[in-house]
Amino acid sequence: MTSTRALTWISLVAASAMVCQCAKAPGAAHQGAAPITSFAAAVHEHGRSPLDLSLASGKAVYDRYCAICHGDSGGGDGFNAYPLKDAFGVNPTAFSDRAQAAALEETKAIAAIRNGGLAVGKSAAMPAWGYTLTPGEVADVWQYIRSFATTGHGK
Amino acid sequence: MCELGRPRRASAVLLLALSLLALSAVAGCRVHPDGSLPPGPPGLAGPHGPERAAALLPPLLVNASLGVRDRCTSCHENVLDPRHALDAPPLTSHPGRLLDVHSPRRFGCTPCHGGLGEATSESKAHAAGIGGVRFAGDATEIACGRCHVDEVALDGAPHLSHGRALIRNAQCDGCHVIGGASHPGRVGPDLSGIGRRVDPAWLFRWLKNPRDYAANARMPRFELEDKYVDALVGYLMTFQSETPFDTTAFPAGDATRGGNLVRSSFCISCHSINDKGGTGVIDLGRVGSKLHRPYLLHLLAATQEVDPGTTMPQYHFTNAQIADVAAYLGSELTDPSFTSAGAGSGSGKLGTWWPSQSVRIDVGRRLFKELRCGNCHAFPGSADWLRVGPILSQLAEKKDAEIPWGTTKYPHTLADYVWHKVESPSVYASSPHQLKMPAYDFTPDESRDVTIALLAQARARALPAEFVVRSRADETLSLPGEFGRLVRRYQCTSCHSVNGVGHNISADLGVEGSRARREWIYEYLKQPYTIRPMLTVRMPTFNLSDEEAGVLADGITSSWHDAKIDALGDLAAGPREVEAGRRLFESKGCLSCHQVGSKGGYVGPSFTSGSPVAKRYRTGYLVQWLENARAVKPDVIEPGFGFSRDQARAVAAYLLALPRDEKAASR
């Protein structure tokens, strides 16, 4: 089924209220960038590279499944990070930390996402997402995770 | 589509096609190298003439019932291969997981992306979809509306969903004929008796700008001069028809007790108070300066009688409790600038703009009709909708010449017209008096999403029935007897859905009778608590009587269940199975999200405190959930585990064997 229930229309309205704290006129929606003066630009009809699309898909996956522990900005400081220390003796990896990010090796990190922490010799606190995410989604979320340390989404 | 500027690609495709034809001839069947795409139609494989040229442009996706003949994969040949996610277009693979549920074999490409599937040049193939917009980027969601005609929470289409929710919330279909996302009733409250309910000074400021009163107000701003607002106030205050509510049965009330009751009843699961809490219904931060006490008492005592269209449940308060709540709202949640005593911003001159009260009321009556207030509100003597706006379901047929572009400087496409009109309705009006449409004060992002939703509904066409996906949310549950009466009284479907019917603020209850044990349902209804520690809102406390909770628990158990799930429930587990379950539980990191005793995460329900597994869950549901949670809850966040039936049973056995007592569990 395609309909989703967890994201309620109420949270949609709430999310829109949060997303739309920006300026008023169409054209001022993206600060810092040139004003958006056409609908085609507002809907990104042109100009998004495959990497942009991959990052957007990765962000959707990350925000839904990962941010609760790893933090919205990849700081390893999500709402659910604290109890992991007590239950497993570990902290979630902080992707925005350059040292921790540099230590991540692509093949191993993707294996950890797909098969869980235990499978790569780390903690069982990291569940396996290979039954949940498609290979494409794993690749996308890995792109997005890497971007925390390199493009300054993170701290 | 590869004819220009891509000689090497075209020849590669040609070679591929030739080898394909050769293969078919030898094997007597038609195959494609990756086996994933269907072969072209047989008629095109002739050896001579123009037919042969057409046959050399494989592969062709065909779906006769959708009118699809798409050659897109001639150039976009990697759409199905995730290894090409970062390749440059047209060789990149399709992003996201939409192709998992929309196989190109069934749908082709153009139903979602527009363009001309049979075209053999890039510019023709990439023709605009609707209103000058190509179905690319976020605008692709416009195309979703062709099949998903009315869903407001459509997975994978956040902009379309958001736009539809905004359209519903603003009731655009009050004035416009509009397909998809129509509101089933009038979105505003019934105005009968409003003269007894509210303070005229409040009404003045509300009509000037509803968002001054509450940031999440649904009503738009009509941009009226003060004297016309005053005339409307004068007319509305004549709506005094109902007899005054007898308040003698209610004591004075205690604001402190009332505040505690508002908090413990979780009114903020739906209402916000000064922008904190739920956002779907109006903020209560200033309600004490809006509603007179007798109306508040009446509303709390007989909610659905006072406001028959409400989504608010009827709380089970005593008269003393109702008086306490009214005292709290009336004294703590106030803003003096909205009352006659405070007389803020122009309302001090109420009733002084017109030579006589009868002229004032007469002007107000005419304005009320002119502004079509009755399209969103019922009122004494209200009749059918008087739709005055353009028919938006025919938006796509609007001709460029019909659009009053004026001096506007942005691109002249239909989509740009709609976008700017939604964002600022007065943008095309040559004089303010010409304009009927009020201002909704949408942000740019909201305007974009409303535009996407409007263009989507205009694209809806007659489709073969098997492609139309319709939301069941607005259907009504027909539940017999006392169970049905209580489900209506407590407005269960204002938050829950039952097999898709109702709202999706909380869990679907379609198989709740298979999930939860009757005794747990009974106790939870009597005394709700926060099931998932990370949530801040929960089900309100209704103060149900024992009898009511019993009827609801029996009804849920007997009506909302699934025999197939129940049948998985005969579980006779020995210590070895429990031990196997424990090892799986630990290796899968379940504690990351769930608590056992004092250890574990805040995401899912605790397994020992509040709702111990053995007390809450029925065995069959646990087995089904652990084996494939998505089969019962498609949007679940919990990862899949790939458990076999035996493994699922072992983990279920372990969970059921957990001690009920929190202290015992943490020892």
Side-chain angles (χ1 to χ4, degrees):
Chain A
M1 281 303 296
T2 46
S3 81
T4 174
R5 297 207 173 81
L7 284 184
T8 67
W9 65 271
I10 265 197
S11 63
L12 276 173
V13 177
S16 75
M18 286 187 287
V19 167
C20 303
Q21 297 295 318
C22 46
K24 274 305 299 165
H30 292 234
Q31 291 102 340
I36 292 172
T37 53
S38 73
F39 186 73
V43 295
H44 304 286
E45 194 186 285
H46 305 280
R48 273 202 290 204
S49 69
L51 181 60
D52 291 339
L53 291 171
S54 176
L55 286 172
S57 160
K59 178 173 163 42
V61 171
Y62 182 89
D63 289 351
R64 180 164 172 73
Y65 298 108
C66 318
I68 186 71
C69 292
H70 290 282
D72 292 339
S73 309
D77 55 354
F79 181 83
N80 200 50
Y82 173 75
L84 299 183
K85 185 80 186 165
D86 191 34
F88 294 92
V90 294
N91 291 317
T93 303
F95 306 123
S96 59
D97 180 288
R98 281 170 201 281
Q100 289 192 49
L104 290 175
E105 196 256 303
E106 179 165 289
T107 316
K108 194 175 160 191
I110 286 181
I113 297 170
R114 289 177 59 87
N115 306 325
L118 273 189
V120 295
K122 299 189 80 175
S123 170
M126 169 73 185
W129 295 95
Y131 295 101
T132 308
L133 304 176
T134 64
E137 285 176 311
V138 172
D140 291 341
V141 80
W142 170 241
Q143 290 296 334
Y144 184 67
I145 284 168
R146 286 205 306 189
S147 73
F148 284 123
T150 54
T151 62
H153 293 306
K155 286 172 232 165
Chain B
M1 157 177 0
C2 304
E3 62 175 14
L4 295 174
R6 294 186 204 283
R8 245 175 295 170
R9 283 218 59 67
S11 55
V13 166
L14 212 89
L15 268 173
L16 196 80
L18 284 171
S19 55
L20 203 82
L21 282 173
L23 257 176
S24 329
V26 171
C29 63
R30 287 169 296 125
V31 289
H32 185 266
D34 69 4
S36 61
L37 297 164
L44 291 177
H48 303 295
E51 283 176 347
R52 172 169 175 169
L56 297 182
L57 290 166
L60 183 67
L61 302 172
V62 180
N63 183 325
S65 61
L66 274 178
V68 165
R69 292 172 60 83
D70 288 350
R71 298 188 196 288
C72 313
T73 46
S74 301
C75 293
H76 299 274
E77 61 182 45
N78 295 330
V79 285
L80 289 171
D81 188 343
R83 289 170 302 177
H84 296 276
L86 298 182
D87 286 6
L91 295 177
T92 184
S93 55
H94 197 285
R97 67 190 310 167
L98 281 173
L99 294 192
D100 292 356
V101 281
H102 299 90
S103 162
R105 288 186 198 86
R106 178 162 184 234
F107 293 93
C109 305
T110 51
C112 298
H113 292 284
L116 298 171
E118 276 191 286
T120 50
S121 78
E122 187 181 345
S123 59
K124 281 185 187 150
H126 291 179
I130 188 174
V133 186
R134 291 168 53 211
F135 291 159
D138 298 333
T140 313
E141 293 179 26
I142 293 169
C144 305
R146 189 177 178 198
C147 297
H148 299 272
V149 290
D150 58 358
E151 287 156 285
V152 292
L154 182 58
D155 202 6
H159 301 289
L160 175 65
S161 302
H162 182 213
R164 280 180 172 166
L166 290 165
I167 285 172
R168 262 182 99 102
N169 199 45
Q171 191 153 42
C172 302
D173 60 319
C175 291
H176 297 276
V177 173
I178 186 173
S182 297
H183 199 281
R186 283 180 167 87
V187 76
D190 188 334
L191 297 176
S192 310
I194 189 176
R196 283 196 199 285
R197 268 184 253 163
V198 302
D199 190 315
W202 172 85
L203 190 53
F204 183 91
R205 286 205 60 189
W206 169 264
L207 292 170
K208 281 293 285 182
N209 184 3
R211 269 163 285 282
D212 277 350
Y213 170 76
N216 68 348
R218 283 176 163 180
M219 188 164 134
R221 201 160 44 81
F222 281 88
E223 304 186 79
L224 298 170
E225 292 169 43
D226 283 359
K227 65 177 181 179
Y228 293 115
V229 177
D230 178 62
L232 270 177
V233 171
Y235 174 58
L236 288 169
M237 294 312 283
T238 65
F239 292 4
Q240 298 267 347
S241 50
E242 38 178 60
T243 47
F245 180 60
D246 182 4
T247 61
T248 49
F250 296 88
D254 178 276
T256 309
R257 279 203 307 266
N260 289 337
L261 201 52
V262 164
R263 284 182 285 275
S264 65
S265 301
F266 273 73
C267 302
I268 60 153
S269 285
C270 293
H271 289 283
S272 54
I273 295 180
N274 295 322
D275 302 332
K276 290 191 184 69
T279 53
V281 275
I282 193 135
D283 192 276
L284 294 180
R286 300 182 168 104
V287 69
S289 301
K290 170 187 176 183
L291 298 174
H292 293 315
R293 180 172 179 268
Y295 178 74
L296 271 176
L297 296 173
H298 195 182
L299 182 69
L300 289 164
T303 307
Q304 283 143 27
E305 194 182 299
V306 172
D307 187 356
T310 187
T311 53
M312 178 166 154
Q314 169 67 63
Y315 281 76
H316 219 299
F317 291 143
T318 63
N319 283 359
Q321 286 175 317
I322 288 172
D324 290 342
V325 171
Y328 169 70
L329 301 178
S331 64
E332 302 289 326
L333 304 185
T334 59
D335 180 342
S337 73
F338 280 84
T339 58
S340 295
S345 69
S347 56
K349 289 165 73 182
L350 268 180
T352 62
W353 274 283
W354 302 94
S356 73
Q357 181 68 356
S358 63
V359 172
R360 182 188 182 212
I361 290 171
D362 196 48
V363 172
R365 180 184 296 114
R366 279 187 283 136
L367 261 178
F368 186 89
K369 199 174 168 200
E370 176 80 2
L371 298 173
R372 301 296 192 267
C373 303
N375 284 356
C376 290
H377 297 279
F379 61 100
S382 63
D384 279 347
W385 272 263
L386 293 163
R387 291 198 166 93
V388 284
I391 296 172
L392 294 180
S393 44
Q394 294 167 6
L395 194 60
E397 278 94 67
K398 199 171 180 98
K399 301 282 183 299
D400 194 59
E402 298 170 40
I403 298 175
W405 295 108
T407 56
T408 49
K409 292 217 167 51
Y410 42 81
H412 287 184
T413 71
L414 178 66
D416 282 275
Y417 167 74
V418 175
W419 184 42
H420 285 80
K421 176 80 182 172
V422 167
E423 199 277 337
S424 174
S426 61
V427 67
Y428 303 106
S430 50
S431 81
H433 301 293
Q434 191 200 21
L435 180 72
K436 284 208 173 71
M437 181 166 156
Y440 286 84
D441 298 320
F442 290 129
T443 65
D445 287 353
E446 288 174 329
S447 306
R448 174 202 59 210
D449 292 349
V450 168
T451 305
I452 286 173
L454 289 176
L455 292 173
Q457 59 90 35
R459 188 173 141 81
R461 299 268 187 291
L463 274 178
E466 73 262 31
F467 289 102
V468 177
V469 185
R470 225 170 254 289
S471 160
R472 297 189 64 206
D474 291 334
E475 293 175 23
T476 41
L477 293 175
S478 56
L479 298 168
E482 184 65 1
F483 178 50
R485 190 187 73 78
L486 290 173
V487 167
R488 283 187 293 279
R489 173 183 169 125
Y490 294 106
Q491 297 278 325
C492 303
T493 55
S494 289
C495 291
H496 294 282
S497 55
V498 179
N499 295 321
V501 179
H503 286 98
N504 52 12
I505 291 164
S506 190
D508 190 284
L509 298 179
V511 294
E512 184 64 17
S514 296
R515 170 164 77 165
R517 294 176 185 275
R518 192 236 175 237
E519 312 82 73
W520 181 86
I521 297 172
Y522 175 87
E523 281 178 31
Y524 184 77
L525 287 167
K526 288 286 287 178
Q527 188 56 259
Y529 56 91
T530 306
I531 291 178
R532 305 205 296 144
M534 65 179 282
L535 297 181
T536 51
V537 293
R538 64 154 168 84
M539 189 164 109
T541 308
F542 296 113
N543 301 314
L544 298 174
S545 69
D546 294 352
E547 199 193 336
E548 285 179 329
V551 169
L552 282 170
D554 288 340
I556 291 168
T557 307
S558 61
S559 308
W560 297 342
H561 70 106
D562 180 332
K564 270 187 276 182
I565 297 175
D566 298 341
L568 299 172
D570 53 338
L571 183 63
R576 283 182 57 182
E577 199 161 18
V578 170
E579 174 57 20
R582 186 189 63 77
R583 286 200 305 273
L584 283 168
F585 181 89
E586 286 174 5
S587 69
K588 296 290 178 184
C590 307
L591 272 188
S592 290
C593 292
H594 298 277
Q595 288 179 330
V596 172
S598 63
K599 279 197 190 334
Y602 305 146
V603 183
S606 164
F607 286 142
T608 49
S609 67
S611 55
V613 173
K615 194 173 161 194
R616 180 177 179 200
Y617 292 98
R618 296 170 65 115
T619 313
Y621 186 88
L622 279 181
V623 174
Q624 167 69 67
W625 180 272
L626 288 160
E627 205 179 316
N628 183 5
R630 271 169 183 71
V632 278
K633 192 169 187 286
D635 59 347
V636 66
I637 293 175
E638 179 169 312
F641 303 110
F643 285 150
S644 66
R645 172 71 50 88
D646 282 346
Q647 287 175 316
R649 286 166 62 99
V651 177
Y654 169 69
L655 293 173
L656 288 166
L658 285 171
R660 295 186 178 207
D661 174 23
E662 190 173 351
K663 281 178 194 151
S666 52
R667 267 200 293 273

